[in-house]
Amino acid sequence: MEIKICIGSACHLKGSYDVIRKCQDYIKKNGLTEKIELKSAFCLGRCSEAVSVQVDASEIFSISPDTADSFMKLMHQRTEL
Ligand code: FES
């Protein structure tokens, strides 16, 4: 699974670096480095819904530093399907 976190200006202002840090922590804590690849991306075209996160080049989610953990839990479950 590939997760791209937007670091464009709107998302940056809404905390994309905190989102990245939280996602990295979750991946490390749960031993998911083989299953989930984290990348950064420039504007994903959904600035009003920042922080934008794209999964496997298709779905786009809108998350925040506060919801990053629950987003990662959802992605974690998906890797186990
Ligand atoms: S800056 Fe992130 S979607 Fe535009």
Side-chain angles (χ1 to χ4, degrees), residues 36-80:
I36 299 180
E37 188 179 6
L38 212 55
K39 290 186 172 176
S40 53
F42 291 108
C43 185
L44 293 170
R46 300 253 194 120
C47 309
S48 60
E49 294 164 34
V51 175
S52 302
V53 173
Q54 190 175 43
V55 176
D56 287 338
S58 54
E59 279 174 291
I60 297 184
F61 293 82
S62 168
I63 67 172
S64 71
D66 289 342
T67 59
D69 264 345
S70 42
F71 167 76
M72 286 308 296
K73 272 182 200 141
L74 181 68
M75 295 302 117
H76 189 175
Q77 284 168 2
R78 284 195 186 183
T79 64
E80 290 170 351

